[in-house]
Amino acid sequence: MGRGVSPLLTASLIHAAVDEVLQTDLTEFKQQSVETEGEGDEERFTLLDGELLQRCFFNKLRDVCLEWQKQLPPLRPLKRFLLVSIHAIRNTRRKMEDRHVLLPEFNQLFGLSDDVDRAYFAVFDGHGGVDAANYSATHLHVNVGLHEEIVKNPAEALKCSFQKTDEMFLFKAKREKLRSGTTGVSALIVGNDLHVAWLGDSQVMLVQQGKAVTLMEPHKPEREDERARIETLGGCVTYMDCWRVNGTLAVSRAIGDICQKPYVSGDADGDSFELTGSEDYLLLACDGFFDAVKPYEVVDLVLDHLMQSEGVGLHTAERLVAAAKENGSSDNITVLVVFLRDPQDILADCLRDPKGLGAGDDARSSPFNFLSCEAAATQ
């Protein structure tokens, strides 16, 4: 799509064009059939010619654009306030293996026409190559959007789609001899509910009224339940500069890692939370960030940035990435901040009641929230 086209229109056009493609006879794109066996079952997959299919898609997209120039269908934007700040760097690593996805236009992309707002966000941290992260960033949200429970049980749709994506990638990995894997964390906002799911040590956190709220526990081999699961399957957890599965991976669940299945599980954990309107923002990030910046420090850093930018939140993620790098992170770093309230309002609340923010348990002993807001209030 050309520059300057609104994401809302872009997502709607893509859905319409894909719908047109799916109504055509796809047998002309058939490349070959592949059989795979697993646990006594034999499945057959048909591979399509990607180049021909892509050409068909763009032809359909052109036709839809021409039609919509005559009569543009109604486009319904989100009712909920969302502002996204994203920043990712390779840092000192040789390759960038992180990937991220942001889809505030989830409904438009999948043709969901009910009156419920939906938005999807995800961060993937690849290892052993970028194939698994690329694949997950391309397919996970599609599996969520096409899941039969997406409307009635979105939490189940999100959680199950991780395993579905893992199964799909393992088939590709076996066929193409790929050994990479990826952790992943995703957040799906549906109306006033927040659903999260994750594999590995990429994390999502929430800040509510200036306090950091823990939403999940990352999958690490040293977790008692994860160690027990791995050892029951016949694997081991050993310490080699950090705790590792079978002496290799420092995460106990991931998409891919075909050589470490089933010890490295593709079965995601998930949870759901009600959004009351008092939430400030979500933050999704890889371990390159969370290993260097603690959740309670996030609150300090974001408020500091909002003070300096006079409430402009678009570059918040850049400030957080810079902080992780300053604190010694040499890994790829990806930070995705989803403001659920206007940053101007978050800053105004801080200035109005500087003693009331950052005073919760997760804020620990950091004096920043009180001191910085006090200083700003007197300027």
Side-chain angles (χ1 to χ4, degrees), residues 82-216:
L82 289 179
L83 176 70
V84 181
S85 176
I86 174 70
H87 192 58
I89 63 170
R90 177 172 57 87
N91 212 355
T92 62
R93 292 295 177 91
R94 189 168 62 90
K95 294 182 178 179
M96 177 56 163
E97 296 179 330
D98 287 359
R99 294 293 184 267
H100 62 270
V101 178
L102 46 144
L103 281 175
E105 302 79 20
F106 188 88
N107 280 349
Q108 286 72 27
L109 189 61
F110 294 103
L112 299 171
S113 57
D114 56 15
D115 199 38
V116 179
D117 278 348
R118 294 179 184 83
Y120 168 95
F121 307 93
V123 168
F124 302 97
D125 182 358
H127 49 260
V130 76
D131 298 286
N134 272 342
Y135 192 90
S136 301
T138 303
H139 290 87
L140 179 58
H141 62 278
V142 177
N143 288 333
V144 175
L146 299 181
H147 195 282
E148 61 184 5
E149 293 294 322
I150 182 58
V151 174
K152 294 183 179 179
N153 191 349
E156 182 72 9
L158 182 63
K159 186 170 177 289
C160 289
S161 293
F162 270 85
Q163 189 164 31
K164 173 69 173 177
T165 304
D166 182 45
E167 292 170 356
M168 290 167 60
F169 181 71
L170 289 176
F171 172 66
K172 175 183 175 69
K174 182 178 179 180
R175 190 177 75 246
E176 300 180 15
K177 296 180 172 55
L178 305 174
R179 300 166 62 91
S180 64
T182 185
T183 67
V185 61
S186 63
L188 179 66
I189 298 173
V190 181
N192 292 322
D193 293 318
L194 167 66
H195 307 288
V196 300
W198 68 95
L199 286 171
D201 56 6
S202 293
Q203 299 183 53
V204 56
M205 61 171 284
L206 178 71
V207 172
Q208 183 176 34
Q209 295 182 322
K211 298 179 178 66
V213 180
T214 300
L215 301 181
M216 54 163 286

Side-chain angles (χ1 to χ4, degrees), residues 206-209 274-281 340-341:
L206 178 71
V207 172
Q208 183 176 34
Q209 295 182 322
E274 182 182 1
L275 297 176
T276 64
S278 61
E279 297 79 14
D280 298 332
Y281 53 89
L340 303 173
R341 293 202 298 140

Side-chain angles (χ1 to χ4, degrees), residues 37-338:
E37 297 181 7
E39 298 184 2
D41 295 324
E42 185 179 276
E43 295 183 83
R44 176 178 290 271
F45 294 85
T46 299
L47 299 182
L48 303 180
D49 187 310
E51 185 176 347
L52 290 178
L53 194 59
Q54 184 183 63
R55 192 176 304 151
C56 176
F57 167 78
F58 282 113
N59 287 336
K60 296 295 185 184
L61 181 60
R62 180 197 58 199
D63 294 342
V64 172
C65 289
L66 291 173
E67 188 65 28
W68 285 17
Q69 280 184 328
K70 303 173 186 175
Q71 179 66 50
L72 183 67
L75 303 175
R76 188 180 69 84
L78 286 170
K79 297 188 292 288
R80 169 181 292 280
F81 176 88
L82 289 179
L83 176 70
V84 181
S85 176
I86 174 70
H87 192 58
I89 63 170
R90 177 172 57 87
N91 212 355
T92 62
R93 292 295 177 91
R94 189 168 62 90
K95 294 182 178 179
M96 177 56 163
E97 296 179 330
D98 287 359
R99 294 293 184 267
H100 62 270
V101 178
L102 46 144
L103 281 175
E105 302 79 20
F106 188 88
N107 280 349
Q108 286 72 27
L109 189 61
F110 294 103
L112 299 171
S113 57
D114 56 15
D115 199 38
V116 179
D117 278 348
R118 294 179 184 83
Y120 168 95
F121 307 93
V123 168
F124 302 97
D125 182 358
H127 49 260
V130 76
D131 298 286
N134 272 342
Y135 192 90
S136 301
T138 303
H139 290 87
L140 179 58
H141 62 278
V142 177
N143 288 333
V144 175
L146 299 181
H147 195 282
E148 61 184 5
E149 293 294 322
I150 182 58
V151 174
K152 294 183 179 179
N153 191 349
E156 182 72 9
L158 182 63
K159 186 170 177 289
C160 289
S161 293
F162 270 85
Q163 189 164 31
K164 173 69 173 177
T165 304
D166 182 45
E167 292 170 356
M168 290 167 60
F169 181 71
L170 289 176
F171 172 66
K172 175 183 175 69
K174 182 178 179 180
R175 190 177 75 246
E176 300 180 15
K177 296 180 172 55
L178 305 174
R179 300 166 62 91
S180 64
T182 185
T183 67
V185 61
S186 63
L188 179 66
I189 298 173
V190 181
N192 292 322
D193 293 318
L194 167 66
H195 307 288
V196 300
W198 68 95
L199 286 171
D201 56 6
S202 293
Q203 299 183 53
V204 56
M205 61 171 284
L206 178 71
V207 172
Q208 183 176 34
Q209 295 182 322
K211 298 179 178 66
V213 180
T214 300
L215 301 181
M216 54 163 286
E217 183 179 1
H219 296 124
K220 296 190 175 182
E222 60 266 33
R223 265 178 52 173
E224 187 176 339
D225 56 342
E226 288 296 277
R227 178 192 289 266
R229 177 184 63 79
I230 292 164
E231 292 177 345
T232 298
L233 290 169
C236 66
V237 175
T238 57
Y239 191 86
M240 299 177 64
D241 73 275
C242 66
W243 290 103
R244 297 180 181 274
V245 179
N246 298 330
T248 57
L249 292 177
V251 294
S252 54
R253 302 196 189 197
I255 290 172
D257 293 309
I258 190 169
C259 296
Q260 290 296 330
K261 288 291 193 274
Y263 315 110
V264 175
S265 172
D267 186 13
D269 275 331
D271 211 340
S272 299
F273 308 87
E274 182 182 1
L275 297 176
T276 64
S278 61
E279 297 79 14
D280 298 332
Y281 53 89
L282 281 171
L283 184 146
L284 294 83
C286 60
D287 68 324
F289 175 77
F290 279 111
D291 284 350
V293 178
K294 303 305 179 188
Y296 70 91
E297 295 176 307
V298 169
V299 180
D300 300 357
L301 290 163
V302 171
L303 280 177
D304 183 38
H305 174 75
L306 293 181
M307 302 276 285
Q308 295 181 21
S309 66
E310 299 182 342
V312 178
L314 282 175
H315 299 290
T316 303
E318 292 180 35
R319 176 69 184 93
L320 294 170
V321 168
K325 189 172 182 180
E326 290 164 7
N327 287 356
S329 177
S330 59
D331 199 357
N332 298 157
I333 307 174
T334 296
V335 173
L336 197 164
V337 181
V338 184

